[in-house]
Amino acid sequence: MINFTYVRTTTAKAAVGLLAKEKNAKFIAGGTNLVDLMKRGVTAPDRLIDINAVPLKQIELVGNMMHIGALATNTAVAEHELVKLHFPLLSLALQAGASQQLRNAATVGGNMMQRTRCGYFYDTTMPCNKRAPGTGCGAITGYNRMHAIFGGSEQCIAVHPSDMCIALVALDSTVVLSGPKGERKLKFIDFHKLAGTTPDKDNNLLPGEMIIRVEIPTNKLAAHSYYVKVRDRASYAFALVSVAAGLELQGNKIVDVKLAMGGVAHKPWRLLEAETFLKGKMATEANFKSAAQIAMKNAKAYKENAFKLKMAPNTLIEALNLAKSKA
Amino acid sequence: MRDKSLLKEDTDRVDGFDKVTGRAKYFAEYQIPGTTYGVLVPSTITKGKITGIDSKAAERAPGVLAVVSHLNRPVVAGYETGKDQGVPNNMMKIFYTDQISFNGQPIAMVVADTYERAVYAATLVKGTYAKEAFETDFEKNLSKAKAPKNPAQASYLRGTADAYKNAAVQIEASYTLPTETHNPMELHGILANWESADKITVYAKTQGVKATQGTIASTFKLPLTNVQVNSEFVGGGFGMALRTWPLEIAAIIAAKQVNKPVKLVITRDQMFTLAGHRPYAFQKVGLGADKDGQLTGITHEAWGHTATYEDFTENVVSMSKFMYNSANVNTTYKIVPLNVGVPIWMRGPGEATGAFALESAMDEMAHSLDMDPIAFRVKNYTEEDPEKSRPYSSKNLKEAYKMGAEKIGWSKRNNKPGTNKDGNWLVGYGMSTGVFNASRGRASAKGILKSDGTLLLQSAASDIGPGTGTGMVQIAHEVLGIPVSKITFELGDSSFPTAPSQGGSATLSTVGSAVSDVCNALKAKIAEMATQSGLSASAKFVDVLKKNNLPSVEVTMESKGGEEQKKYSMYSFSIHFVQVKVNPLTGVVKVSKIVSVGDSGRIVSPKTARSQMVGGAVGGLGMALTEETVMDHRFGRYVNNNFADYHVPVHADIPEIEVVFVNKPDPYINPMGAKGMGEIALIGFSAAVANAVFNATGKRIRTLPITPDKILA
């Protein structure tokens, strides 16, 4: 059998220390993705460091910042009163993800760390630059219906699978990391990366680093937030396209707006240009349509995902409509 | 007392408690001392020859007992006989040669003392291959289609061929159904235990213990009585357990090799390659009608795939021959051999594929005629089977149309598509007819009346979920008047009296008739014994047995249909109604209401009958909206072979399902007047959804499943 050692730890400091000791060690919390990857032979860590007992489950307002610990479960966050009150967008996005059973086990940190669902990544007999760099991309000329239309590279067109992260990137979140050299903060938008020439790396975590918490600044978007996820079945399916939309309205005037898209890129896809266009304008169908057009700049489709070129802007309009009309 | 009412009060599923409490034991849960574990090593090429199997590392791995392959397997007696003998149906002989015909074909089986060790060792077995060019792309290989050998699937002509081309109103359209995989919850496999050199017991997942017994006996040249097959509970079959697969033979071979019991449970991804699927299908339908809506011609051509090493055929075009009143009908059906594992019947086999095309085309024609789709069907209604020129044994579809239309609120349907809205969502209504042969085969059953007041019934039948035992005890109750709680029906054991496999919606009719006959014989026997022993002929059987000092009395008999099967065409019918809501921006389709009407004779077991219809609707919803097995033709491998990416409907997809039964006994088919319903529950459903989507949007989707991208295209 492929053996690995398993160790439990109770503090973040100890966890980071343990991670540094072994080259091929991984943290495990909910294990909802890692265990699958191990079963399928995609990954084979020598050591699993169980961090479930590390006290990082907090969900609290600290001044004007919402702090969510890396080990808070998806369900705990989605159902937390403060989250529902101040960041309904995050709650909605979480509830659109996976299934209730998975959300009960999955953690915030684990959700950020989940790997793509690209079929070529999971089948170890197929080419995949993400799993086995240099073997080629199975999807570029293969089955790419689920794949990226933004920011793809010649080496990988896989998409980031999370719903939670789409809301977090829209909400200007920050990630707090702890590593051998101490703590650092990273803007959420910079946490995940595009595939580029290193598709095997999903994010900008440095070796030995651990996710401690996510911080979300308070905002005035709660009254007009919506998460729309278009998928092949009503639950337990990954997004074809999803949109997180938050509006701050004065009358029908858009004072502030946050927009991000899922299912379209190797990372949660923030739509800053569309936001800039909408700010100060009226929340009208015409402006939503123009924003959607702007959002689609530089989109590139492959053989089987050309539908996303229509579905993505449409879903953005739908999300803006629903956010606007939400009482 | 005998219950004479047509629709009795609900009887709970007799094994429901065992199932929900985990007391019910499935094949993989049996433990025989010394059991070892088999894991299959799949081919990573799609076609070619095995040039070598390096099993050294696997053999050295801890706990490994053997690596079995064509290079070292023991003699399999049935492999050595002529092509058409031994292994039935020309089934692929596993571990027989170096030939690879599809990706994932097992090249070896690792047997180890634990499952985990076998899994690991299987990863160490390295096959080397001489690759050959392969074909897996159905649409690219349509030109290689061949006519099936089975005469029942020969081309059919009534009147003039392609008469629709001369009609005042014509429609001509093509419909595509992708490969679907059954995906029951329970994984496939077997526990094989050689009791001696020529005697074996297996715990199997099968829809027919007698069929499995026969296949094993002929493959290993054993007397039938030396093969004991047990399969009391089956965790869903949908057709995939209607045959013995090479993988089961592999486990039996391996058990012989290691001389220990071998348990094999395949993985979910292997379920996609090794245990069949509903074949990809392409169909062309031409319909012609006069201006009043009378059909004047039906042309239905269908192509489905099969494997290169074995032909699989099904009845895709038969509904077009007899469902509607058209003087001219012609059909053809061809198969396209591909380098894939062989398909197998999947719920509503063939007919579900055909009904999608025909019933979509009927809707297209109704639209062209500007007729209501129900009115169009009623206009072309036929009381006689036009294919065989004989009456139907029973058919109450006009009544069924009315019942369903009322329940779904058909009057709210707007015949002009795209005009009905609920907020931003487009609302549509659709309907479709389903039909499947209602048969009664040959079966035997044993009945034992005991002096403790109980009745024990036995037959080598199966229950893959419909509630076989529940139906049988109710049939026995009706004949003998014994309370349901005092009747036990045992099945899933090959030593019981013979019964056919559970397929083609025939179990209730066939085995139920045997149970009915056995119970009537018991009743007569008791009456005779009563009179002989000085009791009244209507004396209670317990008193009769006591008077005669007997612990029990038993009857075994065979039962089968007679001349009525030649005089009448026997079919079960269904009508499915759905309401859909379509989001025109995102392309999302929600089925918001379902009404399924069953016209399948008398309903013997209301609760399980309703469950059958509900399950069929859910399967039909999957076929219509979500299910598709996707292959990468560059590799010949499936790319969505797991439960996350192959989308069976989940609760959130399924709305309120209302089930309605016509519930009129069929006077001819069998003593119960009951016809099967497992298939009709699904057949036609996908067309009802596609028709509703058209009604909502004006968009005709002719390729399933109807995913959001197709709405936006």
Side-chain angles (χ1 to χ4, degrees):
Chain A
M1 279 190 272
I2 303 173
N3 291 315
F4 57 87
T5 57
Y6 170 85
V7 59
R8 284 183 204 179
T9 183
T10 54
T11 68
K13 200 177 168 192
V16 170
L18 284 165
L19 191 66
K21 270 193 211 159
E22 188 125 27
K23 204 178 160 200
N24 192 20
K26 279 192 194 308
F27 291 137
I28 185 163
T32 57
N33 189 208
L34 181 59
V35 174
D36 267 359
L37 294 167
M38 290 170 70
K39 281 186 180 172
R40 296 291 296 264
V42 176
T43 187
D46 295 323
R47 164 169 280 203
L48 287 184
I49 304 161
D50 186 330
I51 53 173
N52 281 297
V54 178
L56 292 173
K57 292 188 168 68
Q58 78 280 18
I59 303 169
E60 60 194 3
L61 261 180
V62 179
N64 63 350
M65 280 286 177
M66 186 81 200
H67 286 199
I68 300 176
L71 290 166
T73 67
N74 287 187
T75 298
V77 179
E79 293 177 2
H80 199 279
E81 287 307 319
L82 287 175
V83 175
K84 286 199 283 190
L85 183 68
H86 298 292
F87 309 99
L89 188 58
L90 176 59
S91 186
L92 287 170
L94 278 163
Q95 282 167 352
S99 65
Q100 184 70 57
Q101 293 93 325
L102 287 166
R103 293 194 296 269
N104 289 346
T107 62
V108 167
N111 192 323
M112 289 165 64
M113 294 299 290
Q114 66 177 310
R115 313 294 313 264
T116 184
R117 299 301 308 197
C118 176
Y120 299 93
F121 177 68
Y122 278 81
D123 184 341
T124 54
T125 72
M126 300 263 218
C128 173
N129 286 325
K130 183 179 278 297
R131 172 175 35 77
T135 56
C137 173
I140 274 184
T141 55
Y143 179 65
N144 48 36
R145 179 169 177 270
M146 303 297 291
H147 290 71
I149 52 170
F150 292 117
S153 80
E154 293 298 306
Q155 297 198 17
C156 179
I157 56 169
V159 296
H160 175 71
S162 166
D163 292 295
M164 178 193 80
C165 294
I166 309 308
L168 286 177
V169 79
L171 294 170
D172 290 327
S173 310
T174 299
V175 188
V176 179
L177 305 168
S178 176
K181 291 176 188 166
E183 277 200 358
R184 69 169 177 136
K185 286 189 178 184
L186 196 58
K187 285 184 181 167
F188 197 91
I189 197 169
D190 296 326
F191 180 82
H192 295 97
K193 62 183 264 299
L194 290 177
T197 55
T198 52
D200 54 316
K201 285 194 67 186
D202 294 347
N203 55 56
N204 292 312
L205 265 184
L206 295 172
E209 279 188 319
M210 177 181 183
I211 303 167
I212 300 296
R213 68 175 175 274
V214 173
E215 298 181 355
I216 318 170
T218 50
N219 58 51
K220 293 176 180 168
L221 309 165
H224 296 284
S225 291
Y226 218 86
Y227 187 75
V228 176
K229 182 178 182 182
V230 183
R231 44 183 153 173
D232 287 325
R233 65 179 164 191
S235 175
Y236 189 43
F238 291 91
L240 296 167
V241 168
S242 68
V243 171
L247 291 167
E248 183 188 341
L249 297 176
Q250 261 174 17
N252 202 34
K253 191 180 163 192
I254 301 169
V255 177
D256 194 12
V257 55
K258 310 282 183 195
L259 298 169
M261 221 175 243
V264 293
H266 193 262
K267 61 182 284 187
W269 197 246
R270 182 81 184 259
L271 304 170
L272 291 167
E273 280 185 58
E275 290 175 14
T276 306
F277 169 82
L278 285 172
K279 262 178 221 168
K281 294 205 173 59
M282 301 302 282
T284 62
E285 183 86 16
N287 282 332
F288 291 169
K289 276 186 181 161
S290 301
Q293 262 183 1
I294 292 165
M296 294 307 292
K297 257 202 291 183
N298 300 322
K300 181 191 170 187
Y302 298 85
K303 192 174 167 223
E304 295 181 63
N305 69 353
F307 70 90
K308 290 192 182 182
L309 300 182
K310 188 169 179 185
M311 184 179 285
N314 280 6
T315 307
L316 180 59
I317 295 164
E318 174 83 348
L320 284 165
N321 281 334
L322 289 167
K324 175 188 163 186
S325 62
K326 211 180 122 188
Chain B
M1 288 303 292
R2 181 172 173 178
D3 186 348
K4 286 182 180 168
S5 67
L6 278 181
L7 194 63
K8 307 184 309 300
E9 66 183 83
D10 280 3
T11 297
D12 286 340
R13 193 176 280 265
V14 293
D15 49 10
F17 184 82
D18 287 348
K19 284 188 169 179
V20 300
T21 55
R23 196 185 286 170
K25 225 167 163 180
Y26 295 80
F27 86 88
E29 297 178 292
Y30 282 88
Q31 286 301 343
I32 300 172
T35 292
T36 61
Y37 298 84
V39 169
L40 292 163
V41 180
S43 156
T44 55
I45 68 158
T46 303
K47 184 170 184 248
K49 285 189 168 59
I50 307 167
T51 54
I53 297 175
D54 181 359
S55 58
K56 284 196 198 83
E59 281 158 11
R60 278 198 303 267
V64 171
L65 301 169
V67 179
V68 186
S69 71
H70 70 290
L71 299 173
N72 66 350
R73 66 162 167 82
V75 171
V76 178
Y79 278 10
E80 313 309 329
T81 51
K83 192 174 186 293
D84 295 322
Q85 296 129 31
V87 180
N89 309 322
N90 292 327
M91 177 168 85
M92 172 178 274
K93 297 173 179 175
I94 195 162
F95 305 154
Y96 184 62
T97 68
D98 56 1
Q99 294 286 332
I100 296 296
S101 299
F102 65 95
N103 207 311
Q105 180 185 325
I107 62 164
M109 180 188 276
V110 173
V111 184
D113 58 351
T114 70
Y115 174 69
E116 290 76 9
R117 285 171 152 181
V119 168
Y120 173 64
T123 67
L124 302 176
V125 178
K126 300 295 172 206
T128 48
Y129 308 92
K131 282 190 199 176
E132 291 167 26
F134 61 85
E135 300 294 342
T136 56
D137 191 331
F138 177 76
E139 293 187 4
K140 276 193 187 152
N141 287 280
L142 270 182
S143 61
K144 294 177 189 156
K146 58 177 187 180
K149 285 180 199 145
N150 185 348
Q153 280 145 350
S155 295
Y156 172 81
L157 173 65
R158 179 164 84 234
T160 311
D162 294 339
Y164 76 92
K165 288 182 176 168
N166 305 317
V169 186
Q170 302 170 20
I171 68 114
E172 203 173 62
S174 302
Y175 303 90
T176 302
L177 174 76
T179 300
E180 284 187 282
T181 305
H182 306 68
N183 273 316
M185 288 295 282
E186 185 190 25
L187 298 167
H188 202 67
I190 195 165
L191 168 55
N193 180 31
W194 288 92
E195 315 256 1
S196 66
D198 65 348
K199 199 163 182 293
I200 187 168
T201 297
V202 300
Y203 294 84
K205 169 174 182 166
T206 177
Q207 294 178 228
V209 285
K210 296 301 284 186
T212 299
Q213 182 191 43
T215 301
I216 294 172
S218 68
T219 303
F220 293 91
K221 293 255 172 246
L222 303 170
L224 272 182
T225 47
N226 284 15
V227 180
Q228 172 63 37
V229 180
N230 303 309
S231 185
E232 190 183 358
F233 290 97
V234 175
F238 311 112
M240 58 77 61
L242 269 171
R243 64 173 291 172
T244 304
W245 295 97
L247 67 99
E248 288 134 271
I249 301 299
I252 297 169
I253 290 173
K256 183 130 239 179
Q257 179 110 328
V258 301
N259 200 24
K260 284 173 193 289
V262 169
K263 188 185 283 186
L264 170 69
V265 182
I266 63 171
T267 57
R268 181 57 60 185
D269 59 304
Q270 288 171 344
M271 292 286 281
F272 283 75
T273 50
L274 302 179
H277 49 264
R278 193 196 297 279
Y280 205 109
F282 176 73
Q283 301 178 76
K284 286 185 185 174
V285 178
L287 296 182
D290 66 22
K291 290 215 157 62
D292 296 331
Q294 173 59 53
L295 281 168
T296 57
I298 301 175
T299 297
H300 189 168
E301 301 165 275
W303 292 259
H305 81 236
T306 184
T308 54
Y309 59 89
E310 184 183 335
D311 282 353
F312 171 78
T313 60
E314 55 183 1
N315 296 324
V316 176
V317 294
S318 49
M319 182 175 177
S320 293
K321 300 175 195 170
F322 64 80
M323 192 65 216
Y324 297 109
N325 184 19
S326 173
N328 307 298
V329 175
N330 57 300
T331 69
T332 61
Y333 166 66
K334 288 180 177 169
I335 48 175
V336 180
L338 297 175
N339 289 110
V340 296
V342 71
I344 187 71
W345 300 287
M346 183 166 165
R347 195 169 189 181
E351 311 285 3
T353 302
F356 166 60
L358 178 66
E359 289 294 292
S360 291
M362 287 294 286
D363 200 70
E364 299 203 38
M365 179 55 101
H367 179 71
S368 294
L369 291 161
D370 197 22
M371 272 179 91
D372 177 277
I374 298 176
F376 175 53
R377 282 168 175 84
V378 170
K379 169 92 185 170
N380 292 283
Y381 198 80
T382 170
E383 301 285 356
E384 285 228 328
D385 173 357
E387 180 192 3
K388 303 208 172 72
S389 301
R390 62 189 186 186
Y392 294 109
S393 58
S394 63
K395 182 181 178 188
N396 306 289
L397 274 185
K398 283 184 185 166
E399 192 180 338
Y401 286 131
K402 275 191 194 140
M403 291 166 90
E406 194 187 311
K407 291 273 181 200
I408 196 81
W410 191 254
S411 57
K412 289 188 220 107
R413 177 182 180 273
N414 208 331
N415 212 30
K416 192 171 154 47
T419 53
N420 199 342
K421 279 194 167 187
D422 175 9
N424 292 325
W425 293 70
L426 297 163
V427 180
Y429 293 83
M431 56 79 58
S432 162
T433 312
V435 63
F436 197 82
N437 185 45
S439 63
R440 174 185 176 184
R442 184 192 294 249
S444 301
K446 179 194 277 186
I448 308 169
L449 277 174
K450 297 179 185 172
S451 57
D452 64 0
T454 63
L455 168 65
L456 174 64
L457 295 158
Q458 292 178 328
S459 179
S462 301
D463 185 5
I464 54 172
T468 305
T470 314
M472 298 306 151
V473 300
Q474 289 182 82
I475 289 168
H477 161 74
E478 284 172 20
V479 176
L480 289 168
I482 302 171
V484 163
S485 60
K486 301 235 177 220
I487 307 172
T488 305
F489 180 81
E490 292 181 345
L491 47 61
D493 180 330
S494 62
S495 69
F496 290 164
T498 301
S501 297
Q502 185 158 56
S505 302
T507 298
L508 189 94
S509 173
T510 305
V511 182
S513 296
V515 165
S516 178
D517 287 357
V518 160
C519 290
N520 276 308
L522 282 168
K523 198 175 177 179
K525 200 163 180 172
I526 290 287
E528 193 190 329
M529 283 164 65
T531 352
Q532 280 169 3
S533 53
L535 292 169
S536 138
S538 59
K540 285 183 182 165
F541 76 87
V542 175
D543 299 333
V544 178
L545 287 172
K546 276 182 186 154
K547 179 86 191 253
N548 286 274
N549 211 17
L550 285 171
S552 64
V553 57
E554 131 178 6
V555 167
T556 300
M557 62 188 290
E558 189 188 71
S559 170
K560 62 180 193 231
E563 284 301 301
E564 73 282 356
Q565 296 191 340
K566 290 181 192 142
K567 282 194 213 154
Y568 300 97
S569 285
M570 301 183 180
Y571 291 101
S572 284
F573 302 93
S574 60
I575 311 177
H576 303 288
F577 288 87
V578 299
Q579 181 199 56
V580 300
K581 293 185 179 172
V582 182
N583 186 315
L585 269 182
T586 62
V588 168
V589 176
K590 279 187 201 168
V591 174
S592 39
K593 195 175 178 190
I594 294 171
V595 176
S596 283
V597 190
D599 176 21
S600 57
R602 191 172 71 89
I603 300 306
V604 167
S605 175
K607 209 170 198 176
T608 53
R610 182 185 173 276
S611 295
Q612 275 275 58
M613 295 296 281
V614 166
V618 173
L621 194 145
M623 184 179 186
L625 295 182
T626 60
E627 294 186 50
E628 176 174 15
T629 307
V630 182
M631 180 174 272
D632 184 328
H633 298 300
R634 297 170 305 166
F635 303 100
R637 290 177 73 82
Y638 296 115
V639 292
N640 65 336
N641 51 4
N642 60 74
F643 265 166
D645 299 315
Y646 181 92
H647 299 133
V648 296
V650 295
H651 284 293
D653 293 295
I654 302 159
E656 178 195 349
I657 299 173
E658 199 162 343
V659 176
V660 185
F661 292 115
V662 175
N663 196 28
K664 284 190 177 162
D666 184 299
Y668 305 108
I669 186 163
N670 55 37
M672 298 81 66
K675 301 192 277 192
M677 56 195 326
E679 322 296 339
I680 54 154
L682 185 145
I683 295 167
F685 195 92
S686 60
V689 176
N691 297 341
V693 166
F694 175 77
N695 182 243
T697 64
K699 202 161 259 188
R700 178 64 64 180
I701 312 285
R702 300 186 182 89
T703 299
L704 296 180
I706 305 171
T707 43
D709 48 313
K710 290 182 186 140
I711 298 291
L712 296 184

